[in-house]
Every structure is written in structure tokens, then in C-alpha cells.
Amino acid sequence: MEQVLVVERNKLLDGKEIPHGFHKDDLERLLQNIHKFAYFINRPDAENNPALKQIIPYLVITERERSPDNFGAGRDGKIFLVQRLAGQTEKRLHNKYSIGIGGHINPVTDAQGKEVSSVPDIIRSGLERELHEELQVTASYQYKLAGYLNDDSNSVGQVHLGLVHQMLVDDAQGVNVLEKDLMVGKFETISEIEKQFELLETWSQIVFNDFVKKVN
């Protein structure tokens, strides 16, 4: 059975309520608590338990040449936009658009088959796995943690917490969707994405409004 990485909700910010939306405040404290208190649990036991937050890396990809430090490339800055097709198993995302690549974090083993215990390494491995399962990336890239994302307004959001990473690539031509029957994707300008805002899945709407637009 699939296991996923979780943290008890009340331990993420030392008992403080997790605010709605994308945030940078308390990021270091939240990250430290994830590293300290995270553990694995069977996914069905986590999916309907709002007392737990499943940790989800959420990767937003932009061109390095247009944004050497952040998204600050004006209205012509380009971000990788994907559309999830009906072939995907997650029906709630069918035909929705997203500016984030991400998914659940599962246990990791090293080259000797020993389970990795370092939570930072587990998260990093989970992020890389999701990236390369969904995309073929031949361009040079690097990423950094930009903030965290919380949406308790619905039953799905209540049991997930996003770690939003910004990924900069050297060449937009070096990022392509792997399984084209499940997803299509291409770089779009911020202004073009804004025109399709209502088609974005909820997390992407939050990140677009609270992060992408605010640094442009």
C-alpha cells in the first residue's frame, strides 16, 4: 500500500493556525517542524484526516534567461503551463490547467536498498521524482523553496500542504511533457495565463495571485 509523508497539523506552526493561501512568513519554522515531525502513513488513512497534512512539493517552472533572480520579468515572463487530460486517474483535475508540478512524497531507498531517514533528502527526492515522471528536462536547471501553500476551503485542501518551489531553466526548449496522452504543456506568458485563470486548478490560482503576480 502506498505510504505518504505527513505532519500533524498542530505541529507545523507550533500550534498556530496555518493561514490560507501562499505565504513566506514562518517558512523556516514550518520547514524545521516538517523535518522534525514528518513520518509516513498509509495514504488511505491520511486522505480523510484533517488532523494530518500530507506534504506536497509544488514546482513552478520559469525561464532563467527571462528571470535571473525570480519571476520579475514583467508581463512577458514565461511559465510552464500544463493541462491535465482525461486519461489521468485524478478525475478532479481533468482538463484543468496548472502552473505547478508535484505530488505525494513516498519512502525512499538509497543505492544499497536502505530506507532514507533524512526528511530533507526524502523531500528532495520526491520533488525530483515527480518532476522527471511528468516531464523530460534536458535543460540545465536549479530550484529553490519559495513559500508554502495552504487551502482549507475544501476537503482535498484540508489534508494537503504545498511546499512551493521555483525552478529556473536555461532553455525553454529543454522542458517537454513525457506522457502526452495524460498531459500537454508549454511555456506561456503571465498575461496569457491570466486570461485562462478560471481554468486553473485551485492551488495554481492561489500561487498565481499570491506569488507570481506579486513579483512582477
Side-chain angles (χ1 to χ4, degrees):
M1 181 176 293
E2 181 185 10
Q3 291 197 316
V4 295
L5 192 72
V6 301
V7 179
E8 293 177 21
R9 174 189 289 268
N10 61 8
K11 290 183 177 179
L12 282 165
L13 291 177
D14 301 326
K16 177 183 174 182
E17 183 178 352
I18 308 169
H20 175 82
F22 170 86
H23 296 277
K24 296 181 180 180
D25 296 339
D26 291 325
L27 179 58
E28 285 302 319
R29 176 164 54 142
L30 178 134
L31 197 60
Q32 289 173 5
N33 285 337
I34 290 174
H35 293 168
K36 183 177 181 180
F37 296 116
Y39 61 96
F40 286 105
I41 190 173
N42 290 336
R43 183 170 175 178
D45 295 331
E47 288 290 357
N48 298 302
N49 186 355
L52 301 176
K53 280 287 193 180
Q54 299 170 58
I55 307 302
I56 307 292
Y58 198 73
L59 196 62
V60 182
I61 305 172
T62 188
E63 293 178 273
R64 182 192 300 275
E65 62 184 9
R66 291 179 174 267
S67 49
D69 299 314
N70 53 35
F71 285 111
R75 303 300 290 175
D76 292 328
K78 288 192 175 183
I79 297 172
F80 198 70
L81 178 72
V82 300
Q83 182 185 20
R84 303 181 184 279
L85 305 178
Q88 292 209 345
T89 55
E90 179 51 84
K91 294 182 179 179
R92 291 169 297 195
L93 296 179
H94 286 179
N95 299 315
K96 286 284 189 178
Y97 287 85
S98 176
I99 59 170
I101 299 294
H104 294 87
I105 299 174
N106 308 123
V108 179
T109 55
D110 61 21
Q112 287 72 44
K114 182 179 179 181
E115 187 166 311
V116 175
S117 59
S118 165
V119 175
D121 289 342
I122 291 170
I123 293 174
R124 190 178 306 111
S125 177
L127 187 155
E128 288 279 354
R129 189 203 70 218
E130 286 294 329
L131 173 64
H132 295 295
E133 279 183 353
E134 299 204 358
L135 303 177
Q136 180 185 48
V137 183
T138 56
S140 298
Y141 67 89
Q142 67 180 101
Y143 52 79
K144 61 183 178 181
L145 182 63
Y148 64 93
L149 171 62
N150 183 56
D151 178 16
D152 285 329
S153 67
N154 58 75
S155 60
V156 177
Q158 287 172 3
V159 295
H160 295 91
L161 182 88
L163 291 180
V164 181
H165 291 73
Q166 176 190 355
M167 175 173 158
L168 305 176
V169 298
D170 289 331
D171 180 8
Q173 300 300 316
V175 181
N176 294 282
V177 169
L178 277 175
E179 298 180 293
K180 292 180 172 56
D181 57 327
L182 301 180
M183 185 169 66
V184 294
K186 63 178 179 177
F187 280 91
E188 297 273 15
T189 65
I190 293 170
S191 56
E192 288 168 342
I193 294 173
E194 191 164 31
K195 294 175 184 176
Q196 305 170 80
F197 180 82
E198 295 302 323
L199 297 176
L200 292 175
E201 46 94 6
T202 305
W203 273 21
S204 287
Q205 290 184 342
I206 293 172
V207 172
F208 187 78
N209 274 337
D210 294 354
F211 178 41
V212 174
K213 288 174 64 177
K214 289 186 177 181
V215 293
N216 279 274

